Amino acid sequence: MDKNAVKAVKPLGFPWETQDPFLFCVYHEDHYPRGNEDFGPDTSLEGRNIGNDFVIKDGFRMYHGTKVPGFPVHPHRGFETVTVVRKGMVDHSDSKGGAGRYGHGDVQWMTAGKGIQHAEMFPLLNREEENSLELFQIWLNLPRADKFVEPHYSMLWAEQIPVIDIVDQGGLKTTIELVAGNLGAHLSLEPAPNSWAADRDHEVGIWVVEMDPGATWSLPKAGKGVNRSLYFFEGASLVLNGASFDKHCTIELEAHMDVHLENGSLKGRFLLLQGAPINEPVVNYGPFVMNTREEIQQTFADYQETRFGGWPWPKDDQVHGRDRGRFARFTDGREEFPPSRV
């Protein structure tokens, strides 16, 4: 195997470093205590930097939440958020009237386009036991031609996301969940319609991979020039094309070269992000991602004038009722539920 398939190795930070067409990837893992009546932690918040709490204390962070952990109302323009929730629940509310509750394997794909406000709160629904949360939030850029499309969001329900099991010669299993892209003949669900990922020729892939202890697996090749990052975030060790990794890290790969993985003595977990680069200038300021500084300045002016539709909800940290299960409500009033609810 060709060790030249490895372009670079980088430590996992907060957030994780990404390559074009991706802008940002952050991994959240929090072990919240049981919830109180207001969906927050049933414990003291003393000693926390409330409103900007990003340091793990007693196993969890409040982020920008003051009572409920999460991210109260904030704006976006010029890119997409893909939120992959592995454990726990997220409550979504937006300035277009959209709402939802999703988790336990669900994915929300939101195109901010010309501008939207939304809140992403982590309600602690269980009042008897701990509430664990695990998710990836991935920012995928939009090309200049699509930065002003209408905002849109869709749900990829866990029950519908393709899951592929590959068994090696030793009978050990690798499981791949296709959030975006394809693996051989297996195709992911459709992403948002104006996404860079909507054109399959862009080879955008978002895969969540788990490998049994000792399992082996070969990554399929992608096109030359496609950017590919493999995030090794759980497990004891990894051997990739003969190179050993005993620390969690980001491995940037040549997508068109053979890559063979040999997992170590514990279950291995990985996130793969890949895609053809957009190859346009990126100028970002916080939640706005445009192509020029002048466009960022115009975005600030537009937001001050319009608030991207305002905020139709009673609270900045809007949380839905305790009796609500997983659901999505769209701007046209249509509601959608996971397949098991239909």
Side-chain angles (χ1 to χ4, degrees):
M1 291 295 177
D2 193 346
K3 289 189 178 181
N4 292 329
V6 177
K7 294 165 58 178
V9 179
K10 300 177 180 179
L12 290 181
F14 189 86
W16 296 348
E17 191 169 333
T18 58
Q19 301 184 80
D20 187 0
F22 297 96
L23 299 161
F24 173 97
C25 178
V26 65
Y27 175 62
H28 296 283
E29 184 180 27
D30 293 276
H31 300 286
Y32 295 103
R34 63 186 185 181
N36 59 28
E37 291 185 0
D38 297 320
F39 304 96
D42 188 19
T43 189
S44 171
L45 300 180
E46 186 177 352
R48 294 181 179 274
N49 186 17
I50 293 299
N52 193 34
D53 178 26
F54 284 79
V55 176
I56 292 179
K57 180 178 182 290
D58 299 328
F60 70 92
R61 297 159 283 201
M62 289 293 290
Y63 302 103
H64 292 308
T66 56
K67 294 182 179 179
V68 181
F71 297 87
V73 58
H74 56 281
H76 290 305
R77 172 182 273 185
F79 65 99
E80 301 185 284
T81 62
V82 183
T83 307
V84 182
V85 184
R86 310 301 299 159
K87 299 176 184 176
M89 288 289 183
V90 176
D91 276 8
H92 165 85
S93 309
D94 67 48
S95 55
K96 306 298 181 181
R101 172 171 287 167
Y102 61 99
H104 300 310
D106 298 328
V107 175
Q108 186 206 57
W109 198 303
M110 189 185 82
T111 305
K114 67 180 184 181
I116 195 170
Q117 293 193 80
H118 76 152
E120 305 159 281
M121 306 309 299
F122 310 146
L124 307 185
L125 299 173
N126 196 327
R127 288 183 285 184
E128 303 300 326
E129 298 177 357
E130 291 186 350
N131 293 267
S132 291
L133 176 81
E134 183 186 37
L135 65 83
F136 307 97
Q137 182 160 100
I138 300 157
W139 289 13
L140 176 60
N141 201 8
L142 288 167
R144 185 191 304 269
D146 294 322
K147 285 196 178 293
F148 286 89
V149 297
E150 287 294 327
H152 175 278
Y153 100 86
S154 57
M155 287 304 310
L156 312 181
W157 300 111
E159 293 85 348
Q160 297 173 319
I161 294 173
V163 178
I164 299 96
D165 290 332
I166 298 174
V167 179
D168 64 20
Q169 292 183 345
L172 301 174
K173 185 171 66 176
T174 295
T175 300
I176 304 101
E177 295 185 33
L178 291 183
V179 175
N182 68 283
L183 179 62
H186 300 279
L187 296 178
S188 70
L189 301 173
E190 290 296 324
N194 292 299
S195 176
W196 184 249
D199 185 339
R200 298 276 181 178
D201 289 342
H202 294 154
E203 296 190 72
V204 173
I206 302 174
W207 304 354
V208 181
V209 180
E210 292 191 2
M211 299 182 71
D212 284 347
T216 61
W217 176 54
S218 293
L219 269 171
K221 294 180 182 180
K224 192 169 185 178
V226 168
N227 286 331
R228 172 179 274 183
S229 295
L230 182 69
Y231 300 90
F232 170 38
F233 68 94
E234 184 177 314
S237 61
L238 171 70
V239 176
L240 189 153
N241 285 12
S244 297
F245 302 89
D246 59 5
K247 294 182 179 179
H248 299 156
C249 59
T250 302
I251 307 170
E252 295 181 1
L253 298 167
E254 293 284 4
H256 66 286
M257 290 186 177
D258 289 318
V259 174
H260 184 70
L261 307 180
E262 303 171 45
N263 187 36
S265 59
L266 300 176
K267 179 177 73 174
R269 299 180 68 208
F270 310 85
L271 177 71
L272 180 136
L273 299 181
Q274 71 170 39
I278 294 173
N279 286 328
E280 291 180 356
V282 173
V283 180
N284 70 290
Y285 192 96
F288 306 136
V289 181
M290 305 302 291
N291 296 105
T292 68
R293 187 173 299 278
E294 290 74 22
E295 289 170 342
I296 292 289
Q297 293 170 341
Q298 184 60 53
T299 295
F300 272 100
D302 292 346
Y303 177 62
Q304 289 173 354
E305 179 180 351
T306 69
R307 295 293 170 180
F308 295 160
W311 189 243
W313 303 96
K315 296 180 179 179
D316 288 350
D317 58 350
Q318 181 67 25
V319 175
H320 308 307
R322 187 175 297 278
D323 60 341
R324 293 302 310 252
R326 294 153 62 213
F327 78 99
R329 184 167 68 245
F330 303 101
T331 56
D332 59 3
R334 178 175 56 92
E335 288 204 346
E336 181 179 288
F337 301 93
S340 60
R341 291 283 299 272
V342 175

